[in-house]
Amino acid sequence: MRAVELKGLTYTYSAKTPFEKRALDNVDLAVEEGEFVGLIGATGSGKSTLIQHLNGLVKVQQGEVIVRGMNASDKKSLKKLRFAVGMVFQYPEYQLFEDSVAKDVAFGPKNMKLDKEEVERRVRRAMEVVGLPYEEFAERSPFELSGGEKRRAAIAGVIAMEPEILVLDEPVAGLDPVGRREILSLVRKLHEEVSPTVIMVSHYMDDIAEMADRIVALKEGKIVADGTPAEVFGAREKLAAAGLALPTAARITDALAARGIELPRTIVTARELADALAAYRTARRTATPADADGEGED
Ligand SMILES: Nc1ncnc2c1ncn2[C@@H]1O[C@H](COP(=O)(O)OP(=O)(O)O)[C@@H](O)[C@H]1O
Ligand SMILES: [Mg+2]
């Protein structure tokens, strides 16, 4: 079953007012079950509007939104659709409100009308998965946790609903490098263990390059690129035209090329860059002495 299908999705804020703003313009997108999609695009390109369609938070105006066979325009499937899509909003910790972490994490599964034991099982599991062990954190107030812990508690509340599709809007925004690493490795783990399909919005190209199998880029409400990280970041002109940045490894690759060191332009991660550089050096070392360009051992 296809995870998500958008057909001709068009959305306008404040239609027929002086503030009218077309946020999505005829978007067609199919996401297969198990994919990890990185959604990128400049501020205002429509990323949040797009993902808010996936759980019915934004009502479909024009076009179709189908999630695991359920049509978001069909009121009867809306509730099931909401349970299928776990939404981690920007700064999700602002939505913590209960007086204990366990109660907060239990909020979603309780809403699903699961029995008490099942709610408890899910709360424990979700807290374990995000690295907030139940015994230690269940009774703590969410408000006395550190920034990174708060965010993980908020994410636990989403995954306690065991959604098939996990959608995250800028999950590392506002975190320090350590918190950022923690959340990214958590997202990877959730993709592997909890929610097979992940759609992650981020403006950190390094993170997207490392995590996503597929990148979808939006510009002014339209999809302007869709492919593997190597394909999307490899198309330098197209990327620049879309106003998008390159991951660090690709920028270094370009800087090296300017100095005569040509590496594949499909490099997008630090690992790939390191491997390509090692291969480049080996090739140079084993080159025949005949190409005497003064490039000796260093
Ligand atoms: N509630 C709203 N009312 C009016 N315009 C909005 C609203 N939310 C977003 N927009 C506009 O819609 C466009 C797309 O916004 P958004 O989906 O938030 O983009 P992104 O998440 O890529 O930054 C922007 O021009 C934004 O200003
Ligand atoms: Mg946004």
Side-chain angles (χ1 to χ4, degrees), residues 178-221:
V178 175
R180 191 169 141 196
R181 280 278 127 219
E182 279 176 9
I183 295 293
L184 289 177
S185 58
L186 172 58
V187 172
R188 188 169 278 138
K189 185 164 149 193
L190 297 178
H191 173 52
E192 282 158 12
E193 297 175 13
V194 182
S195 304
T197 310
V198 174
I199 301 176
M200 181 172 92
V201 174
S202 179
H203 65 268
Y204 290 104
M205 298 303 151
D206 291 359
D207 297 349
I208 291 281
E210 240 175 68
M211 312 263 303
D213 313 315
R214 175 179 172 198
I215 295 177
V216 172
L218 281 179
K219 185 190 184 189
E220 291 163 10

Side-chain angles (χ1 to χ4, degrees), residues 44 46-49 90 169-170 201:
K47 306 180 297 295
S48 294
T49 306
Q90 270 185 282
D169 198 351
E170 299 280 5
V201 174

Side-chain angles (χ1 to χ4, degrees), residues 11-24 44-45 61 220-221:
Y11 190 86
T12 308
Y13 287 103
S14 315
K16 300 193 181 83
T17 77
F19 309 104
E20 178 164 313
K21 176 73 206 177
R22 166 136 324 168
L24 293 176
S45 58
Q61 290 175 343
E220 291 163 10

Side-chain angles (χ1 to χ4, degrees), residues 76-117:
K76 275 177 288 179
S77 36
L78 204 54
K79 197 163 184 183
K80 271 174 85 182
L81 185 147
R82 284 213 169 107
F83 294 154
V85 181
M87 278 280 195
V88 178
F89 296 103
Q90 270 185 282
Y91 298 99
E93 56 275 20
Y94 292 149
Q95 289 165 33
L96 295 168
F97 66 98
E98 296 278 8
D99 57 18
S100 80
V101 174
K103 275 193 211 162
D104 224 305
V105 176
F107 182 79
K110 269 191 180 155
N111 252 333
M112 298 174 84
K113 309 254 183 295
L114 302 167
D115 63 46
K116 217 171 141 231
E117 287 70 38

